[in-house]
Amino acid sequence: MAENRQSTGPVTLSLEGGRRPERADAARNRRILLDTASRIVRDEGVAALSMESVAAAAGVGIGTVYRRFGDRAGLAYALLDEQERDFQAAFISGPPPLGPDAEPAVRLRAYLDRYVDRLAEHAELLATAETHRYQSGAYNVQRRHLAMLINQIDPQLDGPYLADALLAALSGQLYLHQTTEAGMSVERIRAGIAQLLRGIVDG
Amino acid sequence: MAENRQSTGPVTLSLEGGRRPERADAARNRRILLDTASRIVRDEGVAALSMESVAAAAGVGIGTVYRRFGDRAGLAYALLDEQERDFQAAFISGPPPLGPDAEPAVRLRAYLDRYVDRLAEHAELLATAETHRYQSGAYNVQRRHLAMLINQIDPQLDGPYLADALLAALSGQLYLHQTTEAGMSVERIRAGIAQLLRGIVDG
DNA sequence: ATAATAAGTGGAGAATTCTCCGATTGCAAC
DNA sequence: GTTGCAATCGGAGAATTCTCCACTTATTAT
């Protein structure tokens, strides 16, 4: 499903060109809803984040929540959106090792490393958002970034496929399983990714 | 969630030691339910496979469906179970290249290749079953197999982690996205996996 | 056979996600 | 101002997933 139904305004990834600006009441509601959702996650955990609970706590109808965020996964994405933008901005125009002034292989490492940081910090929210991962704009941006780096390192490789594969290994659901069920440490996960990269970085 | 609530009988993966055999009426219902579910999938597609529709079509209460299969993902797993067993049997005691008489690297290739076959044939059902992928017995068996092979190839590698990563790349949901949205062919996916393996097989 | 007990059954109902569309409201043009 | 209309809102209700537990039935032990 789309990020936002008729998405306007300065929202989720700004993939759309500048459309008509968001109406004032809509903008106000968006902020109220995000603040409310954020508070629910902080106080009661991601599991307590239901569309109905957010609507009730924010004092709006449930239809409004759906209009704004499309579905539960969309709401979770919206909560992660700010960091997502920072991440992307750092990649596109920030300093090395993530930004464009570093070697592709270095950037790739840095990118995945930062991604693991995000997982460690927001695994539950990411896992929730992942319900419709492949339909999200965020996924496609990440995928493009990775594919580009991989092909800068080695044009012979199938960048888009390998991007999918790497991102699959960085799924929030898998991360949760690895850390809470399988007893893996974050360091082990980082090291594992490094091993996975050997075939890509070292040709 | 568990595969089956108080799972007995010759079901899903036979991970449990021989418990008390399944009661005759329960066995009868299981068969009826699986046949009914199978028919629904064949005639109306995976999307039409709901717990309630299966119960109604089979002429039992919905509670019975839940008792048998735990949840929707469990029902999907049960439908895939027969092939899953064949797959595992071929790995454990079948002929090369999948079985134990082949080189580990060859077995690994064969294993992943067969896995792609399964994806190609049952992607939707696998995607449905994946809802609780990491809680399923099937996943853990696959993971162990792959981890073992990887460590036979190179004991320095983190077999369990790399197994997770490879299986993540073989998710049903990702496969569906790659083939139906991103326009990738099955051959391209196989080739991509081969590239991913370079760091593992070639040390 | 019969009783005791474990296993299995069914379906009402709670909890959620998501849809739909009539009512309402902000906004811009006049 | 007023008016027109597109954007927004709200909440009833449809559709599902899943829980619970009083009731029934199969199996085992006596």
Side-chain angles (χ1 to χ4, degrees), chain A residues 87-160:
Chain A
F87 190 13
Q88 286 173 27
F91 178 84
I92 292 169
S93 58
L98 195 57
D101 288 343
E103 294 280 303
V106 173
R107 293 182 82 191
L108 179 59
R109 282 290 181 98
Y111 192 95
L112 297 175
D113 220 54
R114 289 280 298 265
Y115 207 106
V116 175
D117 290 340
R118 275 188 91 213
L119 276 176
E121 197 170 357
H122 305 289
E124 276 192 287
L125 214 43
L126 281 163
T128 301
E130 259 161 29
T131 311
H132 302 303
R133 191 180 197 187
Y134 303 119
Q135 276 75 56
S136 78
Y139 183 80
N140 284 301
V141 172
Q142 294 160 1
R143 182 181 197 258
R144 256 195 300 274
H145 285 173
L146 283 178
M148 187 194 71
L149 290 178
I150 291 167
N151 279 129
Q152 285 176 352
I153 293 169
D154 182 349
Q156 304 255 331
L157 294 172
D158 188 340

Side-chain angles (χ1 to χ4, degrees), chain B residues 129-144:
Chain B
E130 260 162 29
T131 311
H132 303 303
R133 189 180 200 189
Y134 303 119
Q135 277 75 57
S136 78
Y139 183 79
N140 284 300
V141 172
Q142 293 160 1
R143 183 181 196 257
R144 256 195 300 275

Side-chain angles (χ1 to χ4, degrees), chain B residues 162-176:
Chain B
L162 292 170
D164 279 337
L166 288 176
L167 287 171
L170 295 172
S171 112
Q173 289 199 279
L174 178 56
Y175 180 89
L176 282 178

Side-chain angles (χ1 to χ4, degrees), chain A residues 23 29 60-61 63-64 67-68:
Chain A
R23 236 169 67 171
N29 273 341
V60 305
T64 302
R67 156 166 281 272
R68 278 281 88 70

